[in-house]
Amino acid sequence: MKRIFYYSVYFIFALSLILFILSVAAYYLFTFPLDSYKLHTSASVALDGIGFDVNDSALTFGIVSPGGTSLRKVSIVNNYKFPVRVKAISNGEIELLLKYPTITRIEPGENASIPVTFFAFDNSSYVNYSGSIEFLVLQPLLHEQMAQGIIAV
């Protein structure tokens, strides 16, 4: 009788360990980026002047007056055979002055234009702001893949 109890405990422990490992693997599978793009980001807040920068290797907003805005768009093409999610993450001193969609869904073969806006608030300091914005290309969520027949259960 004791032997059956111990085998049951071992079996439940092994099953729990396998389920834990599978759930960790599934978590990393759907949150680990397929690709990423990091762009240096900068803007200046000043009373006089206007500035443009057509640099395509950085996301620059030029000179913005207090209370003004500047918009740039980042183009991302989905070359995968399945839809992807693009997650934007910014950092640096410019981070709180940027507005952008956190998650953008892009269908296969589609070109998405993701808007990034710099807001120079009325009380913004007259300085240069810099930082970066990173675009992480992620797989679709599990329920989206099942609905589109990418994976079967």
Side-chain angles (χ1 to χ4, degrees), residues 7-22:
Y7 285 138
S8 298
V9 170
Y10 292 139
F11 176 75
I12 291 172
F13 175 76
L15 186 63
S16 299
L17 185 62
I18 290 169
L19 287 174
F20 174 75
I21 291 170
L22 288 175

Side-chain angles (χ1 to χ4, degrees), residues 46-64:
L47 280 176
D48 53 349
I50 186 164
F52 294 98
D53 191 337
V54 291
N55 185 346
D56 62 356
S57 63
L59 194 61
T60 55
F61 295 95
I63 300 170
V64 182

Side-chain angles (χ1 to χ4, degrees), residues 8-103:
S8 298
V9 170
Y10 292 139
F11 176 75
I12 291 172
F13 175 76
L15 186 63
S16 299
L17 185 62
I18 290 169
L19 287 174
F20 174 75
I21 291 170
L22 288 175
S23 63
V24 169
Y27 171 78
Y28 281 107
L29 176 67
F30 295 109
T31 58
F32 193 77
L34 299 168
D35 209 347
S36 68
Y37 307 96
K38 191 171 190 174
L39 296 171
H40 175 73
T41 309
S42 65
S44 297
V45 176
L47 280 176
D48 53 349
I50 186 164
F52 294 98
D53 191 337
V54 291
N55 185 346
D56 62 356
S57 63
L59 194 61
T60 55
F61 295 95
I63 300 170
V64 182
S65 299
T69 63
S70 180
L71 172 70
R72 294 290 306 267
K73 293 185 178 184
V74 176
S75 180
I76 298 179
V77 178
N78 179 3
N79 292 322
Y80 293 99
K81 295 182 181 187
F82 49 86
V84 296
R85 297 175 297 135
V86 176
K87 181 178 183 178
I89 303 169
S90 61
N91 60 39
E93 56 198 21
I94 199 170
E95 178 179 14
L96 298 175
L97 302 174
L98 295 178
K99 182 179 179 189
Y100 49 85
T102 306
I103 299 281

